[in-house]
Amino acid sequence: MAVDELDTRILRLLIEQPRTSVREYARILGIARGTLQARIDRMERTGVITATGPVLSPAALGHPVLAFVHIEVTQGHLDEVGDALATVPEIIEAFSITGGGDLLTRVVARDNEHLEDVVQRLIRLPGVVRTRTEIALRERVPQRLLPLVESVGRASAGRPGSTG
């Protein structure tokens, strides 16, 4: 889906001021509330906006250790292992990947001992051949999308026929 300059402005507000009302967003943007709501609805429908809930901190929930666990899977068992990973609460993301391994997971833990327990649980899953764990020391760039949104918006504004 093409994101135009107005969509970019809307997304910036949603990111920077997530607790503001739709009415206030419309006032800030100088557009009708119905126009704003239609734009938001379209971006939700097309998958640009995928969630609206709060962003939680695993560290504040008592899980300050972050690790990336690469998992090598027996051929033909990727789906089964993926389903099993979904039952492990400490796995907060999992991706099929290319390169060294078949799956990459983001795992949180209370401490290193807890992390070892989680990794041992993963190793025991049917279809898991081996794991490789890397512990994150410090977050250097927090998860962010605003720079990408702005880049896409700028590229859209330069296209012929764009409204911006």
Side-chain angles (χ1 to χ4, degrees):
M1 180 202 128
V3 174
D4 65 17
E5 190 268 335
L6 179 56
D7 292 333
T8 300
R9 290 173 49 214
I10 292 167
L11 292 169
R12 172 183 272 284
L13 278 175
L14 291 172
I15 291 168
E16 291 180 341
Q17 301 176 36
R19 298 178 71 133
T20 302
S21 70
V22 172
R23 179 179 297 181
E24 181 62 11
Y25 289 144
R27 187 195 65 72
I28 291 168
L29 293 168
I31 61 175
R33 184 184 174 285
T35 300
L36 174 64
Q37 191 62 59
R39 292 282 186 130
I40 291 171
D41 291 346
R42 178 179 48 82
M43 288 190 281
E44 288 175 346
R45 200 173 46 256
T46 59
V48 172
I49 297 173
T50 59
T52 57
V55 177
L56 305 177
S57 165
L61 293 171
H63 289 68
V65 176
L66 171 63
F68 299 92
V69 180
H70 299 258
I71 302 172
E72 187 177 324
V73 176
T74 304
Q75 284 191 338
H77 290 86
L78 192 60
D79 289 338
E80 293 87 1
V81 173
D83 291 344
L85 295 178
T87 69
V88 180
E90 294 86 358
I91 294 180
I92 58 175
E93 287 185 296
F95 301 91
S96 299
I97 60 169
T98 62
D102 300 299
L103 294 163
L104 176 63
T105 63
R106 202 162 67 123
V107 178
V108 294
R110 292 184 301 273
D111 52 36
N112 286 350
E113 185 177 323
H114 181 216
L115 176 60
E116 182 181 9
D117 292 343
V118 172
V119 171
Q120 290 302 316
R121 180 176 174 189
L122 299 179
I123 291 169
R124 288 191 298 271
L125 292 175
V128 171
V129 175
R130 75 178 47 89
T131 65
R132 187 180 86 240
T133 303
E134 298 166 351
I135 297 175
L137 299 176
R138 181 182 307 164
E139 183 177 65
R140 298 294 180 165
V141 178
Q143 183 177 7
R144 66 204 179 119
L145 289 173
L146 186 55
L148 177 63
V149 167
E150 291 174 336
S151 173
V152 169
R154 281 191 301 273
S156 172
R159 278 190 236 126
S162 67
T163 59

